Amino acid sequence: MRYRTRLTAPAAALLGTAAATTLAPSAHAASGSTSRAASGTEAAAPGPETLGDPVYPSLGNDGYRVAAYHLDLAYDATTKLVDGEATLRIRTTQALSRLSLDALGLDIRAVRVGGRTATFETVDEKLRITPARSLPADTGTTICVEYGADPRRALTHTAWVPTADGFAVCPQPNSAHTVFPCNDHPVDKADFTFRITVPNGLRGVASGTLVRTETLDGDRTAYSYRSRSPIATELVQITVGDYVVKDRQGPNGLPLRDVVPVARAEALEPALALTPGLVAWLEQRLGAYPFETYGLLPCNSDDPAAFDFTGLETQTLTLYKPNYLLQAERFIGSHMMHELVHSYFGNSVSPGTWADLWLNEGHADFYGLLYRYERGWTDSLGLTTMEARMKNTYARGDQWRRTSGPVAAPNEANLFDSQRYLGGVLVLYALREFVGEATFGAIERTFLDRYRNASATTENYISVASEIAGQDLSGFLRDWLYGTTTPRMPNHPDWTVTPVTTSLLAPKSRTAGHHDNSATL
């Protein structure tokens, strides 16, 4: 049995030491600058303002990688505004005359690169930075951006969730850069430290572990947090409000902490008390929980439009709509498992591109449904077994492939369709039927171990599956993931796919960024 220990060291110097992060082999192509840099012949040029994501092609920036972020935010309860300073420690991958960060809706006041004042401009959702001197390839430096933010500002998309007493953030998939300037793509994970200054009586909380509390002049308190593991920008959580932090013990010494609205703490306790059992069940299947702590953040807002999903897997602290958690266990346990699974698939192992979202959502629904059926709870269709639900899903296969694309080939409009959730479950179910339960379990654990604290692609998963199964599964899995028609289900020759008709092809209404297509709800 593995026991965990709390982090007890004091807050380290700014940004600390970045954890070594191994990117998935196919997630990033190097710029080819290494040999030129070694010979000293590479000319500095502006860094590309994209990482080439197939779903969000304008997201992210190339020419450097971020090792660490330090976010220093101060909330003013009177104006409800935020003053921020983001310090990024980066390493260049090519010689740069200019580089860019993703940023939207931020009032940029000053930028420094390596301690020197830099010129800057904002264009669309990019903050273009021209340092006083060009940056050589393979060189480390810091970027410091001073800015202001209004959590209530109307934007084309935003991560801010304003509340009566402060705010929370929901960055997924492409909105972290409305909260802080960043390289906003899950492939560029980094270490994070946070310092959140709030008026006395409010609490500032962030992903990771509390390492310092400071009493400041002007009746203010600063809370500092540090994450032990790298975080993708879309998974950062920062919240301010009238919260109480409730600590409890999880399995094998895991510290659990929930951040709960003071006025609802007692009413929410039955839901919060479910977490240790959920963690224990999942650890038996996927191995030890991958981070230093876990807990829930029922956001202090009853606005149904505050955010467009029930729960979001921000790292170490899952964001929820509070009223959802007031229901009986049989109505919430399956989805609580879904969000917990994201600590493994999505957080510990992040998607190499947004086209790989099925790895997150398919796995979360797969284990969330298994948990539901093991507990004897019926699902939203009144079904009680995984086999029955998969037979029902299988019948919809061709329809979903026509209206939402293949499982691993989404676009921005259909990214969060059911095809990424239940469609992903169907792929995993087919794989388990084909290789057997023991081999399937070995594939899952090997994939998680190999890409822990990194990013991985669909091709990486196919490669691991083939390796562990001892046979080439690329054809089998690519048919399921990229085919335009639904393959035959192993061990179920009697299952049939409903033919696609004109009525089934009628356009359906979609809400951009809508996350509530999970079968665990």
Side-chain angles (χ1 to χ4, degrees), residues 223-277:
Y223 298 92
S224 293
Y225 292 81
R226 183 184 188 89
S227 175
R228 191 179 66 188
S229 303
I231 307 177
T233 52
E234 53 112 358
L235 299 173
V236 165
Q237 182 54 253
I238 307 165
T239 189
V240 168
D242 185 18
Y243 290 104
V244 59
V245 176
K246 304 185 71 172
D247 296 312
R248 72 188 76 228
Q249 189 78 6
N252 303 327
L254 174 67
L256 301 175
R257 59 101 189 235
D258 298 307
V259 179
V260 192
V262 171
R264 304 182 188 214
E266 183 177 353
L268 286 165
E269 178 58 27
L272 306 179
L274 299 175
T275 298

Side-chain angles (χ1 to χ4, degrees), residues 68 115 136 138-139 154 165 224 276 330 385 388 474:
D138 196 27
T139 299
D165 52 358
S224 293
R330 68 183 183 278
T385 67
S474 57

Side-chain angles (χ1 to χ4, degrees), residues 97-371:
S97 61
R98 188 184 76 197
L99 70 160
S100 59
L101 301 172
D102 297 302
L104 173 65
L106 304 177
D107 300 316
I108 309 298
R109 297 166 181 160
V111 179
R112 298 185 299 278
V113 178
R116 295 173 176 266
T117 299
T119 59
F120 65 90
E121 63 175 341
T122 54
V123 179
D124 297 323
E125 298 188 23
K126 300 294 180 180
L127 171 61
R128 290 177 178 164
I129 301 169
T130 304
R133 297 176 180 174
S134 294
L135 303 177
D138 196 27
T139 299
T141 191
T142 58
I143 302 171
C144 183
V145 182
E146 298 177 19
Y147 66 98
D150 181 355
R152 289 164 170 75
R153 180 171 293 168
L155 300 169
T156 54
H157 60 95
T158 184
W160 295 102
V161 181
T163 63
D165 52 358
F167 63 83
V169 298
C170 54
Q172 192 186 88
N174 63 333
S175 295
H177 60 278
T178 66
V179 178
F180 59 100
C182 57
N183 202 24
D184 198 2
H185 193 280
V187 79
D188 199 10
K189 299 169 75 164
D191 285 357
F192 271 85
T193 55
F194 309 84
R195 184 173 183 264
I196 308 167
T197 301
V198 296
N200 290 347
L202 297 181
R203 191 74 176 248
V205 182
S207 299
T209 302
L210 179 67
V211 293
R212 188 180 184 189
T213 302
E214 304 168 74
T215 300
L216 306 177
D217 294 337
D219 296 323
R220 298 176 304 152
T221 302
Y223 298 92
S224 293
Y225 292 81
R226 183 184 188 89
S227 175
R228 191 179 66 188
S229 303
I231 307 177
T233 52
E234 53 112 358
L235 299 173
V236 165
Q237 182 54 253
I238 307 165
T239 189
V240 168
D242 185 18
Y243 290 104
V244 59
V245 176
K246 304 185 71 172
D247 296 312
R248 72 188 76 228
Q249 189 78 6
N252 303 327
L254 174 67
L256 301 175
R257 59 101 189 235
D258 298 307
V259 179
V260 192
V262 171
R264 304 182 188 214
E266 183 177 353
L268 286 165
E269 178 58 27
L272 306 179
L274 299 175
T275 298
L278 293 165
V279 173
W281 186 91
L282 193 55
E283 286 195 328
Q284 290 177 358
R285 289 151 181 84
L286 297 180
Y289 176 80
F291 301 120
E292 66 267 42
T293 187
Y294 182 68
L296 310 187
L297 168 60
C299 182
N300 201 11
S301 173
D302 289 320
D303 182 359
F307 43 93
D308 61 350
F309 45 85
T310 298
L312 183 68
E313 63 274 15
T314 43
Q315 193 156 313
T316 72
L317 192 61
T318 294
L319 179 69
Y320 273 103
K321 290 185 175 177
N323 288 336
Y324 176 77
L325 295 174
L326 296 177
Q327 302 177 86
E329 179 184 3
R330 68 183 183 278
F331 298 120
I332 63 175
S334 182
H335 195 65
M336 289 178 70
M337 180 60 72
H338 171 110
E339 298 300 343
L340 176 60
V341 171
H342 279 312
S343 296
Y344 297 76
F345 291 96
N347 296 16
S348 179
V349 181
S350 297
T353 75
W354 281 107
D356 303 306
L357 181 71
W358 79 273
L359 286 168
N360 302 15
E361 303 302 347
H363 277 100
D365 259 14
F366 181 85
Y367 291 100
L369 287 173
L370 282 180
Y371 184 72

